[in-house]
Every structure is written in structure tokens, then in C-alpha cells.
Amino acid sequence: MKIGIICGSQRSKSQTAKVGAFIQEQLNTQSIDTFVLDLGKAPLPNFDDSFWYEPQGELQVTWKPISAELKECDGFIVITPDWHGMVPSCLKNFFLFTDVKDMANKPGLIIAISASVGGYLPIAELRISSTKNNRLCWIPDHLIVRNVKQCFNEEKVSDDTDDIYIRARLQHTIDILLEYSKALSSVRQSEVSNYSLYKFGM
């Protein structure tokens, strides 16, 4: 099994990437392969319609190796900071590139982080607007990491109550994602989805 981890912050050194690295380590210790895309360190160019009309253009050249990795993934963890109650533009831009070949009928887990007590609005935004054409399936569970600077900082859990709780909750939520990843594989293998006829979601 392989899980894609998308770190959706535009900062090159971000709390989002810190959480992503922790999750990658957790998955690797469970013998789960991972693909990490840190949009702060490997930003995508801004999406435009040349993506469809220029097969050898910059956008396609940049996207093809990422798309190849996404196709191999059985599920995804998308980590977003809370910027003014919104998802950063780099993460919205990422979803403009994706389509059914990359993500259809694969489960996704949303993790929102906040330096204070925010985090719920980016989750609502992603659930509403990110899956229409790629058919990614957000699982019912999500995670909000509040006061993120105090969490996931040491290999050994700290004495901070929030850190203890959120580490345990993270593992529980990852376990759920992995089970969805197994279950939805049968949907993909069934070939019931006719995305050549119904290319765009309603």
C-alpha cells in the first residue's frame, strides 16, 4: 500500500511540513510506502488552460512525474494550514491539476493545522470544493491540530496534554484511512466508473 502526503503550505519551512514528516515516519514504521509532495519546497506553477492544449508545455512537463506518483497511491493525506480561515492558494492550485486518473475512488484524510485555535474552516472548504472532477473521496473523519507549534516536536511524546491526545487521535484516524484504502480498491477494480463518458462531476 502507498499513501500520498500533500503538504499544502507555501512556506519553505512550515509547521505543515513538520506534521507531514511526522506522519510519513509513522506510516513507514507500519511498512506503508509514502509519496510526499511539499508545495512549499516544490511549488507548482499557476494552473491555466495551456495544461489542456500544450502537451509538451511547462505545466504538463511539471505535472507528469507528480501524476505518476499519485496514480500509484491508494489513499491521500492532505495537510492544510489555516490562513485567514482559508486553504492556501498553492493547495487549491494543486487540485486544479488533478483528475480521475490521479485520485478517483481513493480515500482522502484532511488534516488542518492552526497556530492557535482555528482549523475548521479549511476542512469545510476542501470538502466543498476540491473533489468535483478528480472524484477523490474524503473520509468522514478529519483531524484538527490546534496549537501546532507545541505538537509533534519530539520523537517521544511530550507531557503536554494536547500533544498526547492528538498523537493518539492521529494514529486512530490513519488506521481508518488505511481501511478505506483497502475497501475502495474494489471499487476501482470493478471498472464500474465510466469517466470517459462522465468526465466532469455535477
Side-chain angles (χ1 to χ4, degrees):
M1 185 179 295
K2 186 173 184 177
I3 299 296
I5 301 170
I6 313 302
C7 299
S9 174
Q10 287 156 228
R11 294 175 177 170
S12 58
K13 295 181 180 180
S14 67
Q15 293 293 313
T16 304
K18 179 190 78 174
V19 174
F22 182 89
I23 292 170
Q24 181 184 26
E25 184 177 349
Q26 293 294 104
L27 287 169
N28 291 162
T29 60
Q30 296 176 242
S31 300
I32 304 296
D33 292 332
T34 52
F35 163 65
V36 177
L37 178 62
D38 184 344
L39 295 172
K41 294 180 179 176
L44 291 167
N46 285 333
F47 184 89
D48 62 49
D49 62 356
S50 68
F51 182 77
W52 297 309
Y53 307 126
E54 297 178 14
Q56 303 303 320
E58 177 194 2
L59 298 186
Q60 284 285 357
V61 169
T62 302
W63 180 248
K64 282 180 180 178
I66 298 171
S67 178
E69 291 281 1
L70 298 179
K71 289 172 186 173
E72 292 182 356
C73 292
D74 300 289
F76 300 96
I77 297 173
V78 177
I79 311 168
T80 178
D82 184 336
W83 284 10
H84 293 275
M86 297 183 292
V87 171
S89 59
C90 69
L91 187 52
K92 299 290 281 189
N93 187 54
F94 163 80
F95 280 110
L96 290 174
F97 281 89
T98 61
D99 66 17
V100 293
K101 295 187 295 295
D102 306 313
M103 291 185 153
N105 299 312
K106 297 178 183 180
L109 164 63
I110 305 172
I111 297 179
I113 69 168
S114 173
S116 57
V117 294
Y120 66 95
L121 287 171
I123 289 174
E125 183 178 354
L126 285 174
R127 288 192 183 280
I128 288 169
S129 67
S130 58
T131 64
K132 173 180 174 286
N133 290 339
N134 60 37
R135 272 47 169 236
L136 174 66
C137 301
W138 294 124
I139 67 172
D141 287 64
H142 56 254
L143 199 69
I144 301 175
V145 183
R146 297 186 167 107
N147 301 306
V148 66
K149 292 180 181 179
Q150 282 74 54
C151 299
F152 304 121
N153 290 322
E154 305 291 340
E155 290 186 10
K156 185 178 180 180
V157 64
S158 74
D159 293 331
D160 184 271
T161 304
D162 288 342
D163 194 23
I164 294 170
Y165 171 78
I166 207 66
R167 287 181 188 228
R169 187 65 182 260
L170 170 65
Q171 187 58 59
H172 175 260
T173 311
I174 286 175
D175 290 343
I176 293 172
L177 174 72
L178 296 179
E179 290 302 314
Y180 269 95
S181 298
K182 295 174 188 175
L184 284 178
S185 65
S186 63
V187 177
R188 298 193 299 278
Q189 292 167 8
S190 73
E191 299 183 351
V192 68
S193 302
N194 188 348
Y195 292 137
S196 58
L197 179 61
Y198 302 111
K199 185 176 181 179
F200 304 109
M202 295 182 70

